[in-house]
């Protein structure tokens, strides 16, 4: 992404992040993690952090509170924070002050990111990467005209029923369409067995339909040139 990123969310930690915080305390609280020190975290996330340099990075996975600050050569810094499980006596909550943002207070998709989604579209579908696949930094980036076309399409194709109250954001506004797909667990009822087949996600289906609706076809076809054809 070319625009500055304020907040980045990931499930796993970036590998090596423990070297920028209180590693001794981490291993005191989670002793078994010491044996995984060299491989702790995702190996692809450090490159993302170095490239995007977000102001804040929140992650989960390890079920322990761990703050860190990564100083980048550019002079920017990323504040990392992971929290514990939501259980009594655990550090699962922390208040963060965020400066006021400009523009409408509407959660929305970033048009540049949507363009990138279109250009890597077949990676979202049961895809096997070829051995000579290029690294993401080597593929073409969307042009300003591509991004503007997505913004224009999101406004022109939006109806009042699509995104009530979205204003100028149009279809870029994230819809309030959460739908439970499995029954909620309410103790002391027995646990529901995990289904043997994947459960369809209405939110995922709606997002895929949005990608096909507002992203120019020339972008979604580029993946055949750079990522290889999708196996049938």
């Amino acid at each position: 992404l070319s625009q500055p990123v304020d907040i980045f969310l990931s499930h796993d930690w970036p590998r090596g992040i423990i070297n920028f915080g209180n590693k001794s305390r981490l291993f005191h609280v989670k002793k078994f993690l010491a044996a995984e020190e060299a491989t702790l975290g995702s190996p692809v996330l450090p490159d993302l952090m170095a490239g995007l340099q977000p102001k804040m990075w929140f992650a989960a996975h390890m079920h322990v509170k761990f703050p860190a600050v990564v100083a980048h050569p550019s002079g920017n810094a990323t504040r990392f924070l992971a929290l514990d499980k939501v259980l009594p006596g655990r550090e699962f909550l922390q208040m963060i002050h965020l400066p006021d943002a400009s523009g409408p207070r509407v959660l929305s998709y970033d048009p540049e990111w949507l363009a990138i989604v279109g250009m890597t579209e077949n990676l979202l579908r049961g895809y096997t990467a070829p051995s000579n696949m290029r690294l993401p930094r080597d593929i073409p980036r969307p042009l300003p005209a591509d991004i503007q076309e997505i913004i224009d399409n999101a406004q022109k194709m939006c109806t009042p029923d699509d995104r009530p109250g979205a204003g100028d954001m149009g279809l870029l506004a994230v819809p309030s369409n959460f739908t439970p797909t499995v029954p909620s667990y309410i103790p002391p009822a027995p646990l529901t067995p995990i289904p043997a087949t994947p459960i369809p996600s209405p939110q995922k289906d709606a997002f895929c339909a949005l990608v096909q609706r507002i992203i120019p076809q020339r972008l979604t076809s580029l993946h055949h040139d750079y990522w290889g054809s999708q196996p049938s």
Side-chain angles (χ1 to χ4, degrees):
L1 296 175
S2 60
Q3 298 299 319
V5 176
D6 293 312
I7 298 174
F8 193 102
L9 301 176
S10 66
H11 178 79
D12 204 355
W13 297 13
R15 182 165 296 178
I17 192 66
I18 60 175
N19 297 315
F20 297 90
N22 192 335
K23 183 165 57 175
S24 298
R25 180 184 182 277
L26 174 66
F27 292 157
H28 175 74
V29 176
K30 294 281 188 177
K31 294 179 174 58
F32 67 92
L33 292 180
E36 305 174 20
E37 180 175 357
T39 58
L40 194 65
S42 167
V44 300
L45 293 182
D47 282 347
L48 279 175
M49 180 178 286
L52 297 175
Q53 299 183 15
K55 295 178 182 177
M56 297 181 179
W57 186 304
F58 301 119
H61 190 53
M62 303 298 178
H63 301 159
V64 61
K65 182 177 181 179
F66 184 78
V69 178
V70 179
H72 302 289
S74 64
N76 297 328
T78 297
R79 295 170 55 196
F80 174 87
L81 178 64
L83 294 174
D84 207 334
K85 280 186 174 183
V86 183
L87 292 172
R90 305 280 279 269
E91 296 179 295
F92 62 84
L93 183 65
Q94 179 163 324
M95 303 299 292
I96 299 291
H97 173 73
L98 300 176
D100 289 338
S102 60
R105 296 181 181 274
V106 176
L107 189 64
S108 61
Y109 298 116
D110 181 86
E112 183 184 11
W113 174 74
L114 284 176
I116 294 171
V117 169
M119 295 172 70
T120 56
E121 177 266 343
N122 71 325
L123 297 181
L124 302 176
R125 301 180 283 117
Y127 175 76
T128 301
S131 59
N132 62 345
M133 185 181 75
R134 300 181 183 185
L135 294 174
R137 62 175 63 93
D138 295 329
I139 68 171
R141 297 181 180 275
L143 301 174
D146 299 326
I147 298 171
Q148 186 59 51
E149 186 172 351
I150 290 175
I151 295 173
D152 293 340
N153 288 343
Q155 294 173 339
K156 290 186 298 185
M157 298 179 182
C158 185
T159 68
D161 293 333
D162 280 327
R163 302 287 192 275
D168 293 339
M169 298 304 300
L171 292 173
L172 292 180
V174 177
S176 299
N177 64 343
F178 175 74
T179 304
T181 56
V182 294
S184 300
Y185 173 63
I186 303 177
L191 292 173
T192 303
I194 299 176
T197 57
I199 301 173
S201 168
Q203 293 87 258
K204 181 208 70 176
D205 294 341
F207 176 75
C208 291
L210 173 70
V211 169
Q212 295 178 351
R213 187 174 177 186
I214 69 173
I215 295 182
Q217 180 62 36
R218 66 177 181 278
L219 292 183
T220 59
S221 63
L222 280 176
H223 69 268
H224 292 290
D225 296 329
Y226 292 94
W227 302 108
S229 299
Q230 170 68 27
S232 59

